[in-house]
């Protein structure tokens, strides 16, 4: 998970090997009584999903709790997620872009249950394996071609310099013979 940013109502991160509707890895908010270590991997029990729309389109947030945190055992699904926690999470996402530029916004469309969240994650995995891996492969090929292009450009430059030196030497030799 990425981090527990000041003001976020939980630990904010992403679900590996997924693509969300915005083309980025799917977002997850992990509710926990303590901050998680930056960039750690945590086994999470998915409990719900908050459906949002922002200036770039649909942007759902998966809500989960750490599997091995006994203080979160009673939170199993949307019905067992405390009402105050739902209000806090909803309020946060409703207002977290308020201080950004005038084009930024976030609208809350509502809560969805655990099966809907799991279905959305499955869809995110399918998108990743359908498009994400291909994009990674294409990006790797592009980087390889860019490196090759740089090498070839350097070689052409070196050859031009050699040709220029040879032309200068030839001109001198021709001038001496004349």
């Amino acid at each position: 998970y990425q981090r527990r940013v000041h003001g976020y109502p939980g630990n904010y991160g992403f679900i590996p090997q997924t693509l969300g509707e915005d083309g980025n890895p799917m977002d997850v908010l992990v509710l926990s009584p303590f901050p998680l270590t930056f960039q750690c991997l945590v086994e999470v029990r998915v409990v719900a999903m908050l459906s949002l729309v922002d200036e770039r389109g649909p942007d759902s947030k998966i809500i989960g709790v750490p599997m091995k945190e006994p203080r979160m055992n009673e939170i199993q699904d949307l019905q067992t997620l405390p009402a105050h926690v739902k209000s806090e999470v909803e309020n946060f996402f409703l207002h977290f872009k308020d201080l950004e530029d005038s084009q930024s916004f976030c609208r809350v469309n509502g809560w969805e249950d655990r099966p809907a969240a799991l279905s959305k994650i499955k869809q995110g995995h399918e998108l990743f394996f359908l498009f994400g891996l291909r994009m990674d492969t294409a990006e790797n090929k592009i980087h390889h071609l860019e490196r090759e292009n740089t090498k070839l450009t350097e070689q052409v430059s070196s050859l031009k310099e050699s040709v220029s030196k040879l032309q200068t030497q030839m001109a001198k030799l021709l001038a001496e013979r004349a």
Side-chain angles (χ1 to χ4, degrees), residues 133-147:
L133 289 177
R134 291 182 183 164
M135 289 187 319
D136 287 346
T137 301
E139 287 174 358
N140 287 338
K141 285 181 181 178
I142 288 169
H143 290 305
H144 173 74
L145 290 171
E146 286 173 343
R147 286 191 299 272

Side-chain angles (χ1 to χ4, degrees), residues 20-145:
E21 297 129 324
D22 59 1
N24 295 320
M26 294 181 72
D27 301 320
V28 63
L29 184 70
V30 180
L31 306 174
S32 174
F34 53 86
L36 299 173
T37 305
F38 181 66
Q39 292 186 335
C40 69
L41 190 61
V42 178
E43 190 176 0
V44 170
R45 177 174 50 257
V46 173
V47 297
M49 179 173 62
L50 184 60
S51 293
L52 306 171
V53 174
D54 66 14
E55 67 278 358
R56 291 176 285 161
D59 191 21
S60 300
K61 307 298 182 190
I62 302 297
I63 311 298
V65 297
M67 290 285 288
K68 296 186 179 181
E69 175 50 56
R71 289 173 278 198
M72 305 305 276
N73 280 345
E74 65 276 0
I75 300 177
Q76 295 289 320
D77 53 29
L78 184 58
Q79 286 68 40
T80 56
L81 189 61
H84 180 77
V85 172
K86 287 190 263 190
S87 294
E88 184 181 355
V89 170
E90 192 171 326
N91 186 63
F92 172 79
F93 284 111
L94 187 60
H95 295 288
F96 83 122
K97 292 188 177 191
D98 285 355
L99 298 177
E100 292 182 15
D101 62 68
S102 62
Q103 303 300 317
S104 297
F105 71 90
C106 187
R107 183 180 72 231
V108 175
N109 282 345
W111 287 92
E112 296 190 46
D113 61 10
R114 176 181 160 81
L118 292 172
S119 176
K120 183 67 81 172
I121 293 169
K122 182 177 184 246
Q123 179 185 16
H125 282 300
E126 290 169 354
L127 287 173
F128 175 80
F129 287 106
L130 184 62
F131 298 112
L133 289 177
R134 291 182 183 164
M135 289 187 319
D136 287 346
T137 301
E139 287 174 358
N140 287 338
K141 285 181 181 178
I142 288 169
H143 290 305
H144 173 74
L145 290 171

